[in-house]
Structure formats: structure tokens, C-alpha cells
Amino acid sequence: MIVSIASGKGGTGKTLIATSIALSLKDNIKVQLLDCDVEEPNDHIFLKPAITNTELVSIPVPKIDLHKCTFCRKCAQICAYNAIAVLPGDVLVFKQLCHGCGACSYLCPERAIFEEMMDIGVVESGNAQGIHFTHGRLNVGEAMATPVIRKVKDQIKRDGIALIDVPPGTSCPVVESVKGSDFCILVTEPTLFGLNDLELAVDTVQTLNIPCGLILNRAGTRDVIVEEYCRKNNLPLLMKIPLDLETARLYSRGITLAEGKLEWRDKFVEVVRKVEELAGERSCSNKR
Ligand code: SF4
Ligand code: SF4
């Protein structure tokens, strides 16, 4: 089963929950944790994995042979990302905008475009207390997160459970990370900002036809905001984690709930049991 852990808003405690679930399950089932937040991966801070494998991620970017080029502008017209500009006597390639799709070189009538590989990041994997750990790191200044995320997800094994820590927001890296999941856990907090971003995240996940449920972090006096939203939209509230000074202290020292407060382990195991049930119900109703 593939379970992604996402949150519309950053800073809701998604990493704390992803790593706590992984640690709570690891003694009973094969667990993989894949940190797809490649712009700022931080699951390794909590799990401290021993990295045993590093793989470069590169994309093909165009290079122009100006001796062959007739400056017809076809490449600039076809590029959906405005990564090429044709000037009188020159062609500029903005590599940071290029998605490596190959359309310009394929369609150049003069065969004046060839491709060279550009490194944009790395994927590192290893072991953390019996958890198979993988994360991606996008090079500083690079904008193309999705090829790195795809490489991270290439490591998914289908024996056991794969947990995907999804970047915050609702843009392309989120879609790339979440797609293919059997279930998505959305982590939120009881604030109006949190609710606004949660609604966007729920829309994204439901558009991808992935069943989802919520974990309410920093629960306290304003939980009704999220509870009401769940009720109206028929979304399961899987767990509440109270706003608590001790949890915040643990977090600031890089210690997960599953390690710092052992009683939470059973609660996370119970959340995954519910997730299996809900994902199973969805797959049965899709077959009908
Ligand atoms: S499509 Fe080819 S020939 Fe036309 S401007 Fe681009 S590189 Fe030059
Ligand atoms: S490879 Fe694709 S994205 Fe990159 S410059 Fe060519 S058309 Fe644009």
C-alpha cells in the first residue's frame, strides 16, 4: 500500500507525523519512507538514516548549433515553458525553465538542436532503524522538482507499506508526489489559514481520485473549524494531536512522537489500520 502524507499549508507537522507513523509500524511490517519534499527534505533529521546509495538526477536541456540554425523561431514557439528566446543572430536557452521535454530538438527543422544532460539534484537512500529510507535533494537554485520526485518514487517497493512525505502546497510537485497513492493523509491545524489551505489540498487529492482523511495537529480550543469542515465534506478525521509544550520540545530536538512519547505508537498503528480499511472500501466501490 502507498500512503502519502500531505498538507496544504507548510509547518503543520507533516514530517513529525510521517516519521512517527514509519517508526510505529516498522516492527510489524516492511516500511519505506520516501521524502519527496525535495526542496527542503527534513525527514532525515528525525530518522538519521545511514545513506548507502546516492544517484544523480539530470534532465536533457537543449544546446543550439548556431551554424545550422536559421532563426526560424519554431523552437521558441513550441516551448510551453518560455525556456527559449530567438534573437536576430542568437538563440538563448534558459536552462532553469527547461522541463527537458525534448519537443524543441524533435521539431527543429534544421536539426540544429542537440541535448546535453544537466544535473539538477540527487536521490539518496539507506536504512534508518530498519526503515528503508529515500529522499531527494534538489540543487540550490534549480526549479524543476518533479524529475527528482519521480526518481525518489522509482524506489517504491510493493511489499509492505510505502509512506510518501509530500511537499507543502498544491502545485506540480505535490501532484507528482501524491499520484499513484492508495490513500492520502492530510495534516492540518485548527486555524483559518490552515483550513483555507486544507480545502485546496482536499480539492487536489480528490481531483486525482485518491481517498483521503485528516489528522488534526495542534488540536485545542478551535477544533470545531476543522470538525465542521470534515462533517460537511464527509471526510474522516483520523486522529487529533493536542497542542502540547512537550511535543514541541521533542520536535525542536529532532525527536518524533513515536520515540518521545511511546504511547503514541499504538495510536499511529490504529490510524494506519483505519487507512487500510478506507482504502479497501474505495477500491471495492471502484470495482463495482
Ligand atoms: S527551431 Fe532550430 S532552426 Fe529554428 S530557431 Fe530553433 S534552433 Fe534555430
Ligand atoms: S526541452 Fe522542452 S522545455 Fe526544454 S527548451 Fe525544449 S521545448 Fe522547452
Side-chain angles (χ1 to χ4, degrees):
M1 186 167 72
I2 302 175
V3 178
S4 46
I5 296 110
S7 65
K9 181 177 169 298
T12 55
K14 175 176 58 63
T15 299
L16 180 76
I17 289 165
T19 50
S20 291
I21 293 177
L23 286 164
S24 303
L25 294 180
K26 72 178 176 69
D27 294 333
N28 304 316
I29 186 173
K30 275 192 187 169
V31 180
Q32 259 194 290
L33 182 65
L34 304 113
D35 190 351
C36 286
D37 191 356
V38 300
E39 286 182 54
E40 206 176 349
N42 51 17
D43 288 12
H44 65 284
I45 296 169
F46 293 89
L47 293 184
K48 303 167 189 69
I51 299 295
T52 50
N53 193 46
T54 302
E55 202 183 330
L56 275 176
V57 184
S58 344
I59 57 168
V61 294
K63 196 163 164 77
I64 316 295
D65 182 345
L66 290 175
H67 297 296
K68 290 186 181 172
C69 177
T70 57
F71 309 102
C72 69
R73 304 195 71 249
K74 280 210 170 78
C75 52
Q77 286 159 0
I78 198 67
C79 182
Y81 305 101
N82 297 319
I84 299 188
V86 180
L87 309 174
D90 203 0
V91 179
L92 304 180
V93 177
F94 304 103
K95 291 181 180 177
Q96 263 64 32
L97 298 180
C98 175
H99 282 50
C101 70
C104 53
S105 55
Y106 184 74
L107 291 167
C108 170
E110 308 300 331
R111 299 205 172 277
I113 302 180
F114 58 98
E115 291 174 338
E116 57 181 11
M117 298 307 284
M118 179 176 77
D119 294 341
I120 57 167
V122 291
V123 169
E124 297 175 318
S125 49
N127 192 290
Q129 303 177 47
I131 298 162
H132 190 276
F133 177 87
T134 306
H135 70 182
R137 289 178 189 271
L138 188 66
N139 289 347
V140 174
E142 292 297 340
M144 286 295 302
T146 50
V148 182
I149 293 170
R150 274 197 290 273
K151 278 275 181 200
V152 171
K153 290 181 74 181
D154 281 351
Q155 304 261 340
I156 292 179
K157 302 177 202 317
R158 276 288 188 168
D159 58 341
I161 185 164
L163 302 167
I164 297 178
D165 190 352
V166 177
T170 51
S171 57
C172 299
V174 174
V175 173
E176 191 63 46
S177 305
V178 170
K179 74 181 183 193
S181 298
D182 298 300
F183 194 91
C184 182
I185 296 174
L186 291 161
V187 182
T188 190
E189 59 184 23
T191 63
L192 290 175
F193 282 131
L195 183 65
N196 175 66
D197 291 358
L198 172 68
E199 286 175 0
L200 298 173
V202 168
D203 270 0
T204 306
V205 171
Q206 289 185 336
T207 304
L208 294 168
N209 200 25
I210 295 168
C212 63
L214 271 63
I215 290 185
L216 177 56
N217 193 19
R218 304 194 190 104
T221 51
R222 304 188 69 193
D223 298 358
V224 68
I225 301 174
V226 174
E227 287 165 351
E228 188 67 3
Y229 174 76
C230 286
R231 198 185 52 73
K232 276 192 188 146
N233 293 280
N234 200 21
L235 290 169
L237 183 54
L238 302 165
M239 176 190 258
K240 280 189 189 184
I241 301 174
L243 179 63
D244 166 45
L245 195 56
E246 182 54 22
T247 306
R249 279 201 186 109
L250 289 171
Y251 190 77
S252 69
R253 287 161 51 210
I255 300 171
T256 66
L257 268 180
E259 291 169 306
K261 293 183 168 188
L262 295 180
E263 67 277 17
W264 279 89
R265 288 194 175 207
D266 286 346
K267 297 178 189 176
F268 283 114
V269 170
E270 181 57 20
V271 163
V272 174
R273 198 197 54 73
K274 273 192 226 163
V275 163
E276 275 174 339
E277 214 174 275
L278 291 163
E281 278 170 19
R282 167 60 81 91
S283 101
C284 288
S285 67
N286 283 349
K287 280 178 199 155
R288 266 183 230 138

